[in-house]
Amino acid sequence: MNNSVTNTARLLGAGLRALLVLTLVTGVIYPLVVTGVAQALFNAKANGSEVKADGKVVGSALIGQQGYSLDYFQPRPANGLGENSVNTQYKLILSGATNRSGDNPELIKWVTEAKAKVVKENSTADYKVKPSQVPADAVTSSGSGLDPDISPAYADLQVHRVAERNGLTVAQVQQLVDEHTTGRTLGFIGEPRVNVLELNIALKALAAKS
């Protein structure tokens, strides 16, 4: 009986020591090492790829923002997203796609209306946009609805409107777009893209100087 109790106590003691060691290694040491390496080698990415303007964080380079006035470049639409229905104190935009097929009548209606809006908003006295010029990303949301980038084609389409509304030349605004266009990763992965937040920050700075 005594031996059985002693053995049980030993097993419990060994188990407790193993638990403490594993907790220390996997719950304290490992997270600290990973965090330290991330902060040292990938500081910007580890902290959410923050974008700063005027000395303060204004967003993330990885998450698109809505609500820009027509003085600025517009992002992709965010159709198909909803509001938080669990905690209604904070009406958070949910990440998600439309989940509708290409021939869905509702999606076709959205795209048709969005294209007409893009043509109207981006046509100026000296520049008329044609429906055939409107790229797909101007009238459809991304899979997450939070895409921070637009295609160079959509950015180019907005140049005349942005220039007119900010009192800038088309050449000045086009240069901004060109400077903020990122090519394919490693030359073959993905598509060329323009980060809307970073482009609009540069636009605001340029307009302030003019």
Side-chain angles (χ1 to χ4, degrees):
M1 184 71 173
N2 289 335
N3 288 336
S4 177
V5 172
T6 301
N7 289 335
T8 300
R10 287 175 179 174
L11 289 174
L12 289 175
L16 180 60
R17 287 193 296 273
L19 175 63
L20 291 175
V21 170
L22 288 174
T23 299
L24 179 64
V25 173
T26 63
V28 179
I29 297 176
Y30 178 74
L32 287 176
V33 170
V34 172
T35 301
V37 172
Q39 290 294 332
L41 302 180
F42 312 102
N43 183 265
K45 292 182 178 180
N47 289 296
S49 299
E50 296 174 337
V51 176
K52 295 183 178 180
D54 300 323
K56 61 182 181 180
V57 176
V58 295
S60 169
L62 303 177
I63 301 176
Q65 299 182 15
Q66 299 291 320
Y68 291 108
S69 74
L70 289 177
D71 292 349
Y72 294 93
F73 286 90
Q74 301 299 300
R76 295 187 67 168
N79 291 337
L81 302 185
E83 292 183 342
N84 175 18
S85 59
V86 178
N87 184 352
T88 55
Q89 183 178 358
Y90 300 100
K91 293 186 177 181
L92 303 177
I93 293 294
L94 305 177
S95 173
T98 60
N99 291 324
R100 289 167 174 80
S101 64
D103 60 353
N104 181 279
E106 188 174 20
L107 179 60
I108 293 173
K109 181 175 179 289
W110 285 349
V111 170
T112 301
E113 292 176 348
K115 179 175 286 190
K117 183 179 179 182
V118 169
V119 169
K120 180 180 178 180
E121 289 181 346
N122 289 284
S123 293
T124 67
D126 302 321
Y127 180 76
K128 301 301 178 184
V129 176
K130 298 177 182 178
S132 59
Q133 292 177 270
V134 180
D137 64 304
V139 295
T140 57
S141 60
S142 63
S144 68
L146 302 175
D147 192 344
D149 304 320
I150 57 176
S151 66
Y154 187 27
D156 291 343
L157 186 71
Q158 302 183 60
V159 165
H160 287 78
R161 186 244 311 153
V162 170
E164 181 180 77
R165 294 181 70 96
N166 287 278
L168 300 169
T169 67
V170 170
Q172 285 177 302
V173 179
Q174 185 63 60
Q175 183 177 353
L176 275 185
V177 171
D178 295 342
E179 290 173 349
H180 287 82
T181 298
T182 303
R184 292 181 173 87
T185 303
L186 300 179
F188 67 94
I189 300 175
E191 295 293 332
R193 59 201 180 276
V194 181
N195 186 280
V196 178
L197 175 58
E198 294 175 351
L199 177 60
N200 280 335
I201 290 173
L203 171 64
K204 183 178 181 179
L206 178 61
K209 295 178 182 178
S210 301

